[in-house]
Each structure stands twice: as structure tokens, then as C-alpha cells.
């Protein structure tokens, strides 16, 4: 008898975490490795946020809290949604979880039954389909193309909706492609969703503050108020506030859904870290002055990486509109021979050969549901990025 449950056997380990772990192991062996796999800002958490956490510790705010978030943080989140997104939520409509991933997982666990379908546009963040599977649902993929900017079109959405469709997951700006939807593009998707009242929408807005070229961020409940009552608007403090390790994600939506998510938490994680919650209050209520300069720095890094990758033989790198990822195509290198003498048969082979030959760790596109591409995180210094992209150029030139 297998120790692993049937449910767990349906899912795969996170490919992004596996890439990062592999890079750490090679570094420990003395290899000169540049890891561009992890989606984590290289900035430190701002001082005012760290001081709020220290203050909370000194004041003894280290006990259990309300399962799905302290009142102060729920109020700060409601104020954020009103201030930045024009969305009115009461604190009772807000959920706080130990990271963005648990927000999504709890929503799926709370609502999915066997046979329920969840539409996941591809390329997708690696965890979406597996969280759906863990919750007993069925992911239904809606592939996009580089020509469409990796964005789902209304007709493509309409084509995959069935009577069993329970959720659509929308991520903008996107991990892994960096694609961001305009107001008109979201309006087009909303018109389809209005014809299918059984479909709920989960918007993953984690990269909201990392928008480039003066593009404006929009979220679907803001664009189409008629979808408000069946939309879960998710966000967090990890990316914009460089708080990945603090593990605070949040969402707002209809009270019945929020209560169900809290019920899941009550028998699983219980409350998020108390100290992290007080730090997140300061993140949302305190100064936001560093956000735009950080976004401008990421845009500069994006321009560097896109330029250098498009100079690499056989690569085509679209220019993303947000987040801190690029998703280049390596299609022209498939079927050719790497310096090792092995044939590159897939984007996974490309990533493996690149790591072996040049010590650059990237995540292969198959993990995100769309090949032949690969993902690079440019959340690191320009010096490191120049070195990494130079190595990638050298590798591509050596492929025969």
C-alpha cells in the first residue's frame, strides 16, 4: 500500500521551488550559479514595516489572533481596496491568510466538488492547477499565444466554459509572462462572464504595483461592478513591499465565501503570524513612497533583459507590461544540439542544458503550461542580470 494519498498523487511539486533548490545545491557544491528562478524581490523590507513588527513584539502582540485576520489589518485592507481600486468592502468581507497561496487554496477547498471545473489561462503560475486538483476540482486550460500578448480573449473564454465551470482564475500582471490586462480587455472578458452566472472569478492581483510604461492597473470587479458579488479579489504584501517571508496574503469578496474560507483555516493553518499581521498594517497604512521608484527600477531591469535576450541566437523575448518576469520563446533551438552533444528536445531540455553549460537556472515553460518557452525572474541586480544574459547569449551561440 502506498503511503501517498490518491489526492496528493494527482499533483506535482512546484517547479519554481525545485529550480531554486537545484540552484542552491549546485552552489553548495562550489559551482558558479546564477539563479533566475525564484519570484522574490531583492529589496529589503522597508524600515517602517520592520519597526512596526518590532513594536508589536515588544507590546506582546504574539498571541493567537482571529482565525482570518486581526480587525486592524482587515480595516487597512478595506481602506486599500477603496483607495486604490475603487472597491467598497467591509472588514467582514476580508480574509487574511498566511500567504497568497493559502488564499487561493482555501477558496478552492471551500467551494469545489468533484467534477467542478476551474478555468486556468496558460501560461499560468505553477500552483494554480495543482491547488485545484488538491481541492478535488478539475483544471481546464485556456492556452494563450505570444501573438495575443499571452492574454485570454473573450471568444477563447467562452469556448471553455461549461455548465460545470465553477471558477475562472485571472492573474494580472501575470506570473510567468508579465502580461497585464487593460480596462477594455477585462471588460470584454466580463461581458462573457455576465452570460454565465455560475462562474465565480478569482483575481490574483499580487503584482498590481509593478506596472510599466505608465500602464494603469485594473481589476475585474472594478471594471464590471455587476461581477462584484461573485469575485474574490486577491492580493498581498509580498511583492510590492518586499515581504515574501512574512507570509501575508489577503482577499476580499462576498461574506458567505469569506466565512467558508475562515472555516477551512480554522481546521488547517489557523491564524497568520500575529507579528506579520501588524507589520502588514503598517505596510498598507504607512508611506507608499518607495513603490513607484522600485517599479521604475524593475522596468529598467526589464528593458535590459529583453534587449539582451533578443540579441541571443534563437530566442524571441516579448516585452512584458508588469511583474518581474520575462517569458521568451526558445522554439528555434528545439531539435538542435547542445554543447553536451545532447539534442534539445523541449524547453525543459533547454533549461537543463543551460544550467549545465553556463550555470544559469531558469524555469522551463512546460511547468507553466505553455511551451516552448522559459521564465526568467529579473528581481536581482543589473550586474547579475548582465552576467546571466551574457551567459545565455554564449550558450545559444554554441547550440548547433
Amino acid at each position: 500500500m502506498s503511503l501517498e494519498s490518491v489526492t496528493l498523487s494527482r499533483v506535482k511539486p512546484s517547479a519554481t521551488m525545485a529550480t531554486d533548490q537545484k540552484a542552491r545545491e549546485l552552489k553548495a557544491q562550489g559551482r558558479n550559479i546564477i539563479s533566475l528562478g525564484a519570484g522574490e524581490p531583492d529589496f529589503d523590507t522597508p524600515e517602517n514595516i520592520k519597526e512596526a513588527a518590532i513594536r508589536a513584539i515588544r507590546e506582546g502582540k504574539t498571541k493567537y489572533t482571529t482565525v482570518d485576520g486581526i480587525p486592524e489589518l482587515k480595516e487597512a485592507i478595506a481602506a486599500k481596496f477603496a483607495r486604490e481600486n475603487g472597491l467598497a468592502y467591509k472588514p467582514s468581507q476580508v480574509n487574511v491568510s498566511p500567504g497568497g497561496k493559502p488564499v487561493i487554496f482555501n477558496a478552492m477547498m471551500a467551494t469545489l466538488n468533484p467534477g467542478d471545473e476551474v478555468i486556468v489561462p496558460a501560461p499560468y503560475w505553477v500552483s494554480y492547477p495543482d491547488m485545484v486538483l488538491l481541492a478535488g476540482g478539475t483544471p481546464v486550460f485556456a492556452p494563450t499565444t505570444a501573438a495575443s500578448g499571452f492574454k485570454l480573449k473573450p471568444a477563447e473564454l467562452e469556448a471553455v466554459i461549461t455548465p460545470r465551470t465553477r471558477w475562472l482564475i485571472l492573474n494580472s500582471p501575470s506570473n510567468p509572462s508579465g502580461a497585464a490586462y487593460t480596462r477594455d480587455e477585462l471588460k470584454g472578458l466580463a461581458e462573457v462572464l455576465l452570460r454565465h452566472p455560475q462562474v465565480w472569478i478569482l483575481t490574483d492581483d499580487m503584482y498590481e504595483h509593478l506596472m510599466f510604461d505608465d500602464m494603469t492597473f485594473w481589476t475585474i470587479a472594478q471594471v464590471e461592478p455587476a461581477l462584484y458579488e461573485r469575485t474574490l479579489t486577491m492580493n498581498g504584501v509580498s511583492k510590492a513591499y518586499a515581504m515574501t517571508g512574512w507570509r501575508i496574503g489577503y482577499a476580499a469578496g462576498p461574506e458567505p465565501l469569506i466565512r467558508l474560507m475562515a472555516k477551512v483555516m480554522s481546521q488547517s493553518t489557523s491564524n497568520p503570524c500575529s507579528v506579520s499581521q501588524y507589520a502588514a498594517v503598517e505596510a498598507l497604512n504607512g508611506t507608499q513612497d518607495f513603490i513607484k521608484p522600485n517599479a521604475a527600477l524593475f522596468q529598467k531591469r526589464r528593458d535590459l533583459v529583453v534587449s539582451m535576450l533578443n540579441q541571443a541566437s534563437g530566442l524571441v523575448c516579448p516585452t512584458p507590461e508588469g511583474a518581474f518576469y520575462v517569458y521568451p520563446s526558445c522554439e528555434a533551438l528545439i531539435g538542435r544540439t547542445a554543447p553536451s552533444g545532447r539534442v534539445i528536445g523541449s524547453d525543459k531540455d533547454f533549461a537543463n542544458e543551460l544550467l549545465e553549460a553556463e550555470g544559469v537556472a531558469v524555469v522551463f515553460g512546460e511547468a507553466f503550461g505553455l511551451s516552448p518557452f522559459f521564465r526568467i525572474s529579473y528581481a536581482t541586480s543589473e550586474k547579475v542580470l548582465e552576467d546571466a544574459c551574457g551567459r545565455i547569449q554564449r550558450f545559444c551561440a554554441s547550440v548547433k
Side-chain angles (χ1 to χ4, degrees):
M1 180 181 294
S2 172
L3 178 63
E4 184 179 44
S5 71
V6 173
T7 298
L8 190 59
S9 69
R10 300 172 73 194
V11 309
K12 304 179 295 293
S14 167
T16 53
M17 291 186 175
T19 297
D20 194 48
Q21 180 61 31
K22 178 68 172 177
R24 291 175 192 271
E25 291 171 357
L26 291 173
K27 282 183 180 180
Q29 295 170 16
R31 289 281 307 276
N32 180 2
I33 301 296
I34 299 176
S35 180
L36 303 179
E40 182 171 49
D42 57 325
F43 310 133
D44 194 15
T45 303
E47 289 299 318
N48 64 307
I49 298 172
K50 291 192 283 188
E51 288 300 322
I54 293 167
R55 188 164 58 250
I57 293 170
R58 288 178 175 153
E59 293 174 358
K61 295 176 178 176
T62 57
K63 309 296 184 184
Y64 294 133
T65 74
T66 306
V67 167
D68 64 344
I70 59 175
E72 298 94 322
L73 182 50
K74 288 192 170 193
E75 290 168 4
I77 291 165
K80 173 262 184 278
F81 278 125
R83 179 178 69 244
E84 297 182 351
N85 308 113
L87 292 170
Y89 291 110
K90 297 177 292 185
S92 58
Q93 292 177 273
V94 174
N95 170 275
V96 184
S97 291
K101 189 177 290 187
V103 172
I104 304 168
F105 181 81
N106 293 340
M108 298 298 110
M109 285 295 295
T111 59
L112 291 180
N113 293 307
D116 286 346
E117 297 174 349
V118 178
I119 297 171
V120 183
Y124 46 73
W125 180 42
V126 295
S127 294
Y128 294 146
D130 291 294
M131 286 192 282
V132 171
L133 289 167
L134 280 170
T138 302
V140 174
F141 303 115
T144 63
T145 65
S148 71
F150 299 114
K151 299 178 194 180
L152 185 65
K153 300 299 184 184
E156 296 166 343
L157 173 59
E158 186 86 62
V160 292
I161 293 176
T162 76
R164 288 187 161 189
T165 305
R166 184 71 160 166
W167 286 94
L168 163 67
I169 298 178
L170 274 181
N171 177 209
S172 175
S174 161
N175 174 4
S177 71
Y181 288 88
T182 65
R183 187 184 189 281
D184 287 345
E185 287 166 342
L186 287 176
K187 190 72 173 177
L189 296 178
E191 289 172 1
V192 175
L193 292 164
L194 288 172
R195 296 195 289 271
H196 300 276
Q198 84 279 14
V199 182
W200 284 61
I201 307 97
L202 190 154
T203 66
D204 181 349
D205 300 346
M206 193 63 72
Y207 298 91
E208 169 185 5
H209 291 296
L210 296 176
M211 298 283 287
F212 306 139
D213 304 316
D214 298 319
M215 189 172 178
T216 300
F217 173 81
W218 296 91
T219 193
I220 199 163
Q222 173 189 23
V223 169
E224 180 46 78
L227 293 176
Y228 175 92
E229 289 297 335
R230 50 188 172 108
T231 299
L232 183 68
T233 304
M234 192 274 281
N235 212 310
V237 297
S238 61
K239 311 300 183 182
Y241 300 94
M243 294 177 68
T244 50
W246 298 77
R247 307 308 300 139
I248 295 292
Y250 60 82
E255 283 190 41
L257 173 60
I258 298 301
R259 285 196 296 268
L260 291 175
M261 293 168 65
K263 184 178 179 181
V264 174
M265 293 177 69
S266 73
Q267 297 293 5
S268 55
T269 60
S270 193
N271 65 271
C273 170
S274 61
V275 174
S276 294
Q277 290 188 69
Y278 286 101
V281 172
E282 174 61 24
L284 295 176
N285 287 345
T287 179
Q288 311 290 299
D289 290 348
F290 55 87
I291 290 179
K292 286 188 177 180
N294 285 356
L297 182 55
F298 277 124
Q299 180 172 328
K300 188 177 179 183
R301 294 173 178 180
R302 176 205 66 174
D303 293 344
L304 168 68
V305 171
V306 169
S307 174
M308 290 192 72
L309 291 182
N310 277 324
Q311 295 173 53
S313 175
L315 299 186
V316 177
C317 185
T319 301
E321 295 138 327
F324 41 64
Y325 310 103
V326 291
Y327 201 59
S329 168
C330 57
E331 184 175 10
L333 301 178
I334 303 300
R336 294 167 64 180
T337 304
S340 66
R342 291 183 288 265
V343 174
I344 299 174
S346 65
D347 50 39
K348 186 174 184 178
D349 291 341
F350 172 88
N352 289 337
E353 295 292 338
L354 174 63
L355 181 58
E356 179 178 314
E358 293 289 348
V360 179
V362 300
V363 187
F364 55 94
E366 181 187 333
F368 304 102
L370 194 67
S371 295
F373 297 86
F374 61 100
R375 190 194 78 172
I376 282 178
S377 167
Y378 52 86
T380 189
S381 71
E382 288 184 45
K383 181 179 179 181
V384 170
L385 292 171
E386 286 179 357
D387 186 2
C389 291
R391 296 188 196 190
I392 292 171
Q393 289 176 345
R394 187 165 62 212
F395 172 76
C396 292
S398 71
V399 173
K400 305 301 180 185

